[in-house]
């Protein structure tokens, strides 16, 4: 799919090179100072979700109640508690080898490629650290820092709304996230919590298969002389607008209790970011 989109972008003339951001238009004023631009991007990326939620979600309590009613109708009996499992050196080794060999890095300047080369030397202490995190239920604060790079989408390059943020996390953070994901995903699959129509995060349920399923359903209906209709929702910043209270409430309902729930709460709180406007990373601003 990556190659397919590269070919499509090349044929339609889409320029994938982001380049430097020399100026922004804010309140009919052109801003050229790089530090001010970094501050503007930081403020925009961290506040745009609040403005969307304040306009579209007036009462989060109603949303939580509706979500809870849906879950109780879908699962009459409470879900079993998640099975706690510590990590082994074999699992750490397999996980690290599965990482893409990228040279990009987070603020610690340690890329996936470096960690792969250093695997024999870091696997034992890394296993100890990961088990300590799982045992304590606390996600390390130093792994909550992200470097955010504004990526230009389309339109005017001076319009801040035409940029989307790409967060670059540390490689160690990615390893811990994968460990948490594997345990959560195994719990959801084992207990049949995910619907069959859930695509994107499951094995043998890729987004390509979702597109195939949709097209196949439409063609089948047309071949049987039936009507085919669809409703499509384009949600603005869908993942960023997820209500954490509703999310944690859902996790608890689906059997995520104890230290694992504490770990999820720790992961979602006290996160920090800084914006980088060039490849050298000189123009940075902390939040």
């Amino acid at each position: 799919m990556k190659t397919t989109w590269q070919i499509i972008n090349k044929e339609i003339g889409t320029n994938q090179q982001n380049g430097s951001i020399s100026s922004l238009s804010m309140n009919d004023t052109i801003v050229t100072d790089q530090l001010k631009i970094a501050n503007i991007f930081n403020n925009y990326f961290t506040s745009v979700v609040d403005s969307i939620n304040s306009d579209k979600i007036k009462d989060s309590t109603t949303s939580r109640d509706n979500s809870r009613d849906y879950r109780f109708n879908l699962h009459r009996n409470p879900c079993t508690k998640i099975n706690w499992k510590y990590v082994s050196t074999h699992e750490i080794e397999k996980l690290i080898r599965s990482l893409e060999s990228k040279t990009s890095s987070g603020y610690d300047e340690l890329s996936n490629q470096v960690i792969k080369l250093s695997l024999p030397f870091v696997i034992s202490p890394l296993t100890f650290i990961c088990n300590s995190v799982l045992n304590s239920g606390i996600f390390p604060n130093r792994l909550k820092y992200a470097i955010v790079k504004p990526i230009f989408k389309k339109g005017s390059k001076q319009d801040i709304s035409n940029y989307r943020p790409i967060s670059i996390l540390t490689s160690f953070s990615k390893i811990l996230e994968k460990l948490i994901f594997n345990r959560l995903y195994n719990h959801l699959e084992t207990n049949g919590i995910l619907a069959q129509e859930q695509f994107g995060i499951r094995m043998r349920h890729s987004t390509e298969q979702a597109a195939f399923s949709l097209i196949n359903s439409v063609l089948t209906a047309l071949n049987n002389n039936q009507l085919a209709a669809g409703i499509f929702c384009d949600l603005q910043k869908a993942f960023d607008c997820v209500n954490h209270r509703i999310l944690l409430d859902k996790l608890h309902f689906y059997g995520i209790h104890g230290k694992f729930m504490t770990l999820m709460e720790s992961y979602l709180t006290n996160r920090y970011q800084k914006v980088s406007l060039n490849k050298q990373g000189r123009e940075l601003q902390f939040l």
Side-chain angles (χ1 to χ4, degrees), residues 5 62 135 149 163 178 198 235 279:
W5 281 111
T62 303
N135 184 58
K149 291 184 176 292
Y163 291 84
K178 282 184 174 291
Q198 174 69 56
L235 302 178
K279 295 182 179 180

Side-chain angles (χ1 to χ4, degrees), residues 81-140:
K81 185 178 179 180
I82 187 171
N83 184 26
W84 188 258
K85 180 182 178 183
Y86 285 105
V87 62
S88 64
T89 54
H90 175 71
E91 183 180 1
I92 289 289
E93 180 181 4
K94 183 179 178 181
L95 192 152
I96 292 178
R97 293 190 185 280
S98 68
L99 296 174
E100 295 185 40
S101 298
K102 293 184 176 180
T103 57
S104 60
S105 62
Y107 79 94
D108 59 356
E109 299 182 356
L110 291 175
S111 64
N112 292 350
Q113 192 175 55
V114 171
I115 293 180
K116 281 189 172 184
L117 294 173
S118 308
L119 180 59
F121 308 99
V122 301
I123 186 170
S124 293
L126 189 56
T127 302
F128 174 79
I129 293 173
C130 290
N131 281 325
S132 298
V133 171
L134 293 174
N135 184 58
S136 64
I138 300 176
F139 198 89

Side-chain angles (χ1 to χ4, degrees), residues 200-211:
I201 63 169
R202 309 171 64 188
M203 294 180 61
R204 297 179 293 277
H205 285 73
S206 64
T207 52
E208 294 91 338
Q209 288 174 305

Side-chain angles (χ1 to χ4, degrees), residues 8 10 20 45 59 93 141 174 184 219 231 238 244 255 262:
I8 292 174
K10 181 179 179 181
S20 60
F45 290 147
D59 189 0
E93 180 181 4
N141 285 332
K174 296 175 185 177
L184 182 59
L219 294 178
I231 299 177
H244 289 176
T262 305

Side-chain angles (χ1 to χ4, degrees), residues 39 45 119 237 250:
N39 275 315
F45 290 147
L119 180 59
K237 296 189 178 298
K250 282 186 175 183

